[in-house]
């Protein structure tokens, strides 16, 4: 057993909450990392004492553990080759598209897999060194699926949880992976494996039974060594009160008015906010909107679509292609349909502070969230949390995890352009009573199921003692 550190709670995630961005003059600054994982975990870490192990986004090898606004952060170093093979390669060129319904074609390369194993081992070793005797270690997301098993081998005394922030694929897709058994066994190192939705947990248990050969019963897996692993859904959420408080602040209210003003005070503002990712359905959404303008159902004198696209994974080819495609589409739509001072689409390729995000949510009348597949989608919940006036409309893909909870949104199939057009128009034309009825119900759901409740329920389940199952189970079959 490796020797222990001093943290009673250790978060292990590919990202730290801040990214180290070189400034070109030899210095660097720390900027908030993009994405839902950081949005969700940061408030949990603020409420608990613990260490956060993650990658700060570059290839510097001399970074020491440091404190950032009260959080203890432990940076993990990746070499340039590991960034290419582990992060851009296996994590985002193989697993990401495969786990998102093959929205792009996944690539399978053995050297990418080798890098994934090496980097996962580094995270596991760092976690083993940081955790105190009997500590809780919570491992996050698809980049680190081997860490639970590696960590258990190093530190059998730990309580280990794993949470997958993205969808877990249907069994037929998962089985394409040449390393499917290793990934399942990696996850089985955890005591509790959490997913966004119940269907994902069921897929996982089925695959464990079929591919690894362990005995299972409902959401439990019985391992030959006596351990029981539970797989269950814990739908993630946001700091709803934090967002609402921000939205209510004078500064944000003022900024929202400035945004509306700068857009020429149209009667309706549509808003999309996404990482620039091919799973988010940005292209089809903008096409649907432009067709409504072209047909005369909407008018640029009266409505504008604000699309914020956060730079993401810019070295991965599929993301570069997407960026070019969206640039071209926005240019064409504005060229064809915009007028002087009245663009059809107001497009920003940038990252913003939380205050600006809240101001955008306050300024927007219709929030449009149309991913082809999304684990949860926190943007949809953030919008709802900011609408303390019970007004505003949400158009939401039925393939976002959030659609399971936000049933009162205008739900759409993002592959169906005509269906999306109808939903956009319905949301545009809905009267105040209808908007309020829907928004009130969604706000109740979001405020009752916030990120603190999510973390509490996961950690409570992880801490619940599960004694050795005492069953005689057959040894695992290999496949
Ligand atoms: P994902 O994890 O796939 O990026 P989510 O919708 O779950 O998608 O989470 C995105 C998070 O990133 C949200 O908290 C959102 O506020 C934040 N975000 C998205 N775009 C931006 C942006 N341009 N600037 C700052 N934060 C952003
Ligand atoms: O929620 C999915 C996710 O991949 C997180 O794991 C990650 O923090 C976020 O999106 C942003 O992606 P990346 O870390 O690759 O920039």
């Amino acid at each position: 057993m490796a020797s222990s550190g001093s943290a009673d709670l250790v978060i292990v995630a590919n990202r730290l909450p801040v990214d180290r961005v070189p400034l070109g003059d030899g210095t660097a600054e720390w900027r908030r990392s993009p994405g839902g994982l950081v949005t969700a975990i940061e408030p949990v870490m603020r409420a608990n004492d613990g260490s956060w192990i993650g990658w700060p986004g570059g290839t510097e090898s001399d970074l020491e553990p440091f404190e950032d606004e009260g959080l203890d952060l432990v940076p993990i170093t990746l070499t340039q080759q590991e960034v290419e093979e582990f992060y851009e390669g296996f994590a985002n060129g193989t697993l990401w598209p495969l786990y998102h319904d093959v929205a792009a074609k996944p690539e399978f390369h053995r050297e990418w897999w080798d890098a994934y194993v090496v980097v996962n081992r580094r995270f596991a070793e760092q976690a083993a060194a940081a955790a105190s005797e009997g500590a809780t270690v919570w491992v996050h997301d698809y980049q680190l699926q081997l860490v639970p098993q590696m960590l258990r081998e190093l530190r059998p005394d730990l309580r280990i949880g794993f949470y997958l922030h993205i969808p877990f694929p249907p069994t037929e897709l998962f089985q394409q992976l040449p390393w499917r058994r290793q990934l399942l066994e990696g996850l089985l190192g955890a005591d509790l494996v959490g997913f966004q939705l119940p269907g994902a947990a069921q897929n996982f248990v089925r695959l464990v039974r079929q591919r690894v050969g362990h005995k299972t019963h409902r959401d439990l897996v019985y391992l030959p060594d006596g351990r029981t692993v539970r797989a269950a859904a814990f739908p993630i959420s946001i700091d709803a009160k934090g967002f609402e408080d921000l939205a209510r602040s004078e500064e944000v209210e003022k900024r929202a008015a400035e945004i509306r003003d700068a857009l020429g005070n149209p009667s309706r503002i549509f808003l999309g906010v996404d990482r620039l990712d091919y799973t988010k359905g940005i292209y089809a959404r903008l096409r649907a909107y432009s067709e409504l303008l072209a047909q005369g159902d909407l008018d640029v004198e009266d409505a504008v679509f604000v699309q914020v696209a956060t730079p993401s994974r810019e070295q991965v080819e599929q993301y570069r292609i997407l960026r070019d495609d969206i640039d071209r589409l926005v240019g064409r739509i504005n060229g064809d349909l915009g007028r002087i001072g009245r663009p059809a689409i107001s497009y920003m390729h940038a990252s913003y502070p939380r205050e600006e995000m809240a101001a955008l949510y306050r300024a927007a009348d219709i929030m449009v969230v149309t991913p082809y597949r999304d684990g949860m989608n926190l943007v949809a919940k953030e919008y709802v949390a900011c609408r303390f006036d019970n007004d505003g409309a949400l158009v939401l893909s039925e393939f976002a995890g959030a659609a399971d909870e936000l049933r009162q949104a205008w739900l759409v199939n993002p592959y169906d352009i005509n269906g999306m057009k109808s939903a956009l128009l319905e949301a545009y034309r809905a009267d105040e009573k209808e908007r309020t009825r829907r928004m009130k119900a969604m706000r109740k759901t979001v405020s009752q199921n916030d990120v603190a409740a999510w973390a509490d329920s996961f950690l409570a389940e992880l801490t619940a003692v599960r004694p050795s199952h005492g069953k005689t189970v057959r040894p695992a079959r290999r496949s």
Side-chain angles (χ1 to χ4, degrees):
M1 188 169 104
S3 60
S4 55
S6 60
D8 295 337
L9 174 66
V10 180
I11 297 287
V12 190
N14 184 53
R15 284 273 178 198
L16 284 178
V18 283
D19 256 4
R20 190 165 187 275
V21 184
L23 293 178
D25 59 357
T27 63
E29 70 174 20
W30 292 95
R31 273 191 217 147
R32 193 184 156 84
S33 314
L37 183 145
V38 166
T39 303
I41 305 300
E42 198 177 340
V44 175
M45 278 303 272
R46 291 203 181 282
N48 292 277
D49 238 3
S51 283
W52 183 330
I53 297 172
W55 172 54
T59 53
E60 294 76 13
S61 57
D62 52 357
L63 298 176
E64 293 294 323
F66 64 104
E67 205 189 292
D68 180 73
E69 294 181 18
L71 298 179
D72 287 334
L73 307 182
V74 183
I76 289 271
T77 300
L78 299 188
T79 64
Q80 184 52 38
Q81 192 175 347
E82 286 166 349
V83 172
E84 286 162 23
E85 295 182 347
F86 156 75
Y87 171 70
E88 293 162 7
F90 199 75
N92 290 312
T94 306
L95 295 175
W96 180 269
L98 189 79
Y99 282 33
H100 285 87
D101 282 358
V102 291
K105 191 168 165 34
E107 289 183 42
F108 302 113
H109 297 295
R110 285 166 288 181
E111 59 282 14
W112 288 5
W113 165 255
D114 293 342
Y116 187 79
V117 176
V118 168
V119 173
N120 270 247
R121 191 167 303 286
R122 191 171 308 146
F123 274 88
E125 283 166 357
Q126 195 61 256
S132 64
E133 177 72 29
T136 295
V137 180
W138 193 356
V139 184
H140 291 266
D141 230 357
Y142 62 101
Q143 302 95 340
L144 302 177
Q145 292 173 96
L146 301 179
V147 170
Q149 183 193 34
M150 291 171 169
L151 183 56
R152 183 159 300 282
E153 278 164 13
L154 292 167
R155 291 287 304 275
D157 59 303
L158 299 177
R159 215 169 270 277
I160 304 172
F162 179 90
Y163 187 77
L164 186 70
H165 291 248
I166 67 172
F168 188 74
T171 52
E172 315 80 70
L173 287 181
F174 188 83
Q175 303 201 47
Q176 290 180 8
L177 270 170
W179 309 278
R180 57 199 181 192
R181 184 180 54 75
Q182 290 94 318
L183 288 173
L184 295 169
E185 287 183 339
L187 292 170
L188 289 170
D191 300 292
L192 176 63
V193 185
F195 299 89
Q196 300 277 16
L197 300 179
Q202 286 154 14
N203 285 351
F204 171 71
V205 172
R206 189 173 315 122
L207 276 160
V208 165
R209 193 170 55 244
Q210 289 171 350
R211 287 286 148 204
V212 195
H214 289 318
K215 186 177 169 59
T216 67
H217 178 64
R218 296 179 187 225
D219 58 358
L220 298 178
V221 179
Y222 301 117
L223 300 185
D225 67 3
R227 274 200 314 120
T228 307
V229 178
R230 182 166 177 235
F234 299 85
I236 202 165
S237 195
I238 55 163
D239 173 13
K241 180 161 183 315
F243 264 98
E244 176 164 344
D245 289 349
L246 197 60
R248 283 182 185 275
S249 71
E250 226 173 276
E251 179 200 355
V252 164
E253 205 58 6
K254 191 165 148 258
R255 179 67 193 137
E258 277 170 18
I259 291 172
R260 289 200 78 101
D261 229 26
L263 292 164
N265 283 310
S267 79
R268 288 281 191 283
I269 296 175
F270 292 77
L271 174 67
V273 174
D274 316 78
R275 265 185 316 100
L276 190 44
D277 194 297
Y278 51 79
T279 59
K280 301 287 184 182
I282 302 170
Y283 193 96
R285 166 199 314 169
L286 296 182
R287 261 195 62 199
Y289 182 77
S290 72
E291 285 186 20
L292 290 173
L293 288 175
Q295 287 166 205
D297 291 309
L298 296 176
D299 189 331
V300 290
E301 297 296 337
D302 180 59
V304 66
F305 199 116
V306 177
Q307 176 65 54
V308 178
T310 325
S312 184
R313 306 175 191 163
E314 295 189 297
Q315 304 312 316
V316 179
E317 198 196 350
Q318 302 279 8
Y319 289 74
R320 290 181 192 219
I321 295 172
L322 176 72
R323 182 170 180 194
D324 289 346
D325 288 349
I326 300 286
D327 282 352
R328 263 197 301 275
L329 180 68
V330 170
R332 204 171 68 225
I333 294 174
N334 280 339
D336 289 347
L337 301 165
R339 289 187 210 128
I340 288 180
R342 292 280 183 189
I345 316 273
S346 178
Y347 177 61
M348 271 85 60
H349 180 249
S351 210
Y352 295 111
R354 253 164 55 108
E355 291 73 16
E356 183 72 0
M357 302 299 292
L360 281 162
Y361 295 141
R362 290 295 309 146
D365 302 287
I366 301 150
M367 182 82 216
V368 191
V369 181
T370 56
Y372 293 122
R373 179 65 67 191
D374 212 331
M376 175 53 65
N377 196 287
L378 296 183
V379 162
K381 291 190 172 181
E382 288 169 5
Y383 179 68
V384 169
C386 288
R387 306 306 307 191
F388 57 83
D389 52 357
N390 288 321
D391 202 353
L394 175 66
V395 176
L396 177 63
S397 163
E398 52 191 84
F399 304 131
D404 270 31
E405 293 168 81
L406 305 179
R407 306 303 302 168
Q408 298 79 10
W410 275 269
L411 293 175
V412 294
N413 171 358
Y415 295 95
D416 172 10
I417 301 262
N418 285 344
M420 267 199 292
K421 284 164 68 179
S422 306
L424 290 173
L425 265 191
E426 269 183 43
Y428 172 79
R429 290 178 180 154
D431 62 23
E432 195 184 336
K433 197 165 152 227
E434 174 70 0
R435 296 196 304 263
T436 302
R437 182 185 68 77
R438 292 177 183 243
M439 187 55 76
K440 259 192 175 164
M442 292 192 287
R443 285 180 55 73
K444 193 166 166 209
T445 306
V446 171
S447 68
Q448 285 175 351
N449 303 288
D450 68 355
V451 73
W454 167 77
D456 286 351
S457 66
F458 186 94
L459 290 172
E461 172 58 32
L462 181 57
T463 336
V465 185
R466 203 172 283 119
S468 173
H469 58 66
K471 298 178 193 305
T472 311
V473 293
R474 60 185 187 274
R477 176 171 21 99
R478 306 275 154 174
S479 70

